[in-house]
Amino acid sequence: MLAVTQIFPNSADPTFSIFNGSQFEALGRLCDLDVLAVIPWFPGAGRLARRSAAGRFAGVPESEQVNGIAVRHPRVLYVPKVGRALSAGLYAASLWPRVRRLRGRVDVVLGSWAYPDGVAALMLSRLLGAACAVKVHGSDLNVNAENMFVKPILRFALPRAERLIAVSRPLAETAISLGVPSDRTVVVRNGIDREVFRPRPRGAARQQLGQPAEGRWILYVGRLERTKGILDLLKAFAQLAARDESVKLTIVGGGAEWERCQALAALFPGRVVVAGIRPVAEVALWISACD
């Protein structure tokens, strides 16, 4: 299996899309897996786009070990903002010189994320004489598919994949509405590692994290981006905290709204913890510690 995706952990951000890292690690125990975790690139990306993946991951090496998997990080050309309709073609064209030697040796090309990854995976699968599976996650169909340039491409490409894998039934229904045959659509929900994420006493978890036993903690885990609703959370907490002094907030993650989170912490010292990007085992502790 040849897996191509833009959403995968790397040395610059080991927790980036860690669900894909965990799932691909498990997949690698079932088949021979070649992972191309691509880095978007355009001239000057490292200097001009620090908030984008192209900028943040500009220094990621060409290959590395991630979760015990040998991962390659080829750069794929894209045109920022105005080049949405070209993204899948540029993606596939950038990868083709690297994968053409695999023709006849690949059974399945897996694209994780509908566009451009999934569409590029379909293009590559046909060139390699392989089947194609596309895994969809959420906003790649619920939001991105509403783009006037992207939607026609998805309507054309996704029904041609041998399998479409959705992480929920409503997402599978969205794919079917885009023309994917129902008999080629399967639901595989995201799972958890129960050795890491398991119930444990709240007080013990707080003690291990060095947090006080009293108070009611709200927990946010995720990217600190406007589209994730983090600014709505900050506003709601400020209103709630003014009325109830027992309420506290922990924010786990990194992103563009880091400074706004820090500003809220300054307004409510001791009641807002901005923990940053944390290892998965520690995230599990914060979950146990919160209300």
Side-chain angles (χ1 to χ4, degrees):
M1 179 174 288
L2 175 67
V4 294
T5 183
Q6 294 181 79
I7 52 172
F8 202 79
N10 57 55
S11 54
D13 188 349
T15 64
F16 178 62
S17 303
I18 199 165
F19 54 88
N20 255 358
S22 298
Q23 290 171 356
F24 284 22
E25 180 185 2
L27 185 61
R29 295 195 291 268
L30 302 176
C31 65
D32 293 326
L33 179 65
D34 190 358
V35 178
L36 300 182
V38 309
I39 307 294
W41 176 87
F42 60 90
R47 298 189 303 273
L48 301 178
R50 288 297 174 188
R51 289 193 174 189
S52 71
R56 289 189 293 119
F57 301 149
V60 171
E62 284 289 323
S63 62
E64 60 181 348
Q65 289 280 325
V66 179
N67 292 348
I69 304 172
V71 178
R72 289 181 286 161
H73 296 294
R75 272 50 179 177
V76 295
L77 179 63
Y78 89 109
V79 181
K81 295 185 179 180
V82 297
R84 294 291 296 277
L86 304 173
S87 295
L90 292 174
Y91 191 133
S94 298
L95 291 183
W96 178 241
R98 292 175 173 268
V99 304
R100 61 190 307 169
R101 62 182 175 79
L102 299 175
R103 182 173 176 80
R105 296 164 54 192
V106 173
D107 297 297
V108 180
V109 180
L110 169 66
S112 186
W113 198 253
Y115 187 85
D117 312 68
V119 177
L122 180 70
M123 295 177 180
L124 292 171
S125 72
R126 297 312 183 246
L127 292 170
L128 292 170
C132 178
V134 178
K135 182 167 178 277
V136 294
H137 299 267
S139 58
D140 51 346
L141 289 192
N142 293 331
V143 178
N144 295 350
E146 294 306 309
N147 180 280
M148 62 182 293
F149 299 109
V150 173
K151 192 168 189 173
I153 297 172
L154 292 178
R155 282 191 176 278
F156 174 82
L158 293 184
R160 288 166 168 75
E162 276 69 30
R163 285 291 184 276
L164 185 131
I165 305 163
V167 298
S168 71
R169 172 50 53 190
L171 197 58
E173 292 169 354
T174 299
I176 292 169
S177 74
L178 290 169
V180 180
S182 58
D183 61 349
R184 291 194 217 160
T185 304
V186 295
V187 176
V188 180
R189 294 178 176 85
N190 285 335
I192 59 168
D193 183 342
R194 291 191 293 181
E195 293 184 4
V196 177
F197 293 94
R198 64 186 189 277
R200 67 194 85 195
R202 182 178 296 146
R206 290 183 180 184
Q207 183 178 28
Q208 194 169 341
L209 291 164
Q211 299 301 318
E214 69 276 1
R216 294 184 295 156
W217 286 93
I218 299 168
L219 174 67
Y220 174 90
V221 180
R223 295 288 302 164
L224 307 184
E225 307 288 348
R226 178 185 297 270
T227 54
K228 297 289 188 180
I230 185 65
L231 298 185
D232 302 305
L233 173 62
L234 301 185
K235 182 179 178 180
F237 179 81
Q239 295 175 1
L240 180 62
R243 301 197 302 266
D244 186 343
E245 293 188 358
S246 72
V247 176
K248 302 179 181 183
L249 173 65
T250 298
I251 299 170
V252 177
E257 303 301 340
W258 169 267
E259 291 182 1
R260 294 203 190 192
C261 295
Q262 291 283 20
L264 185 74
L267 286 175
F268 297 96
R271 296 178 63 189
V272 176
V273 174
V274 185
I277 297 172
R278 310 307 305 158
V280 172
E282 186 177 319
V283 173
L285 271 179
W286 283 111
I287 292 174
S288 293
C290 78
D291 295 279

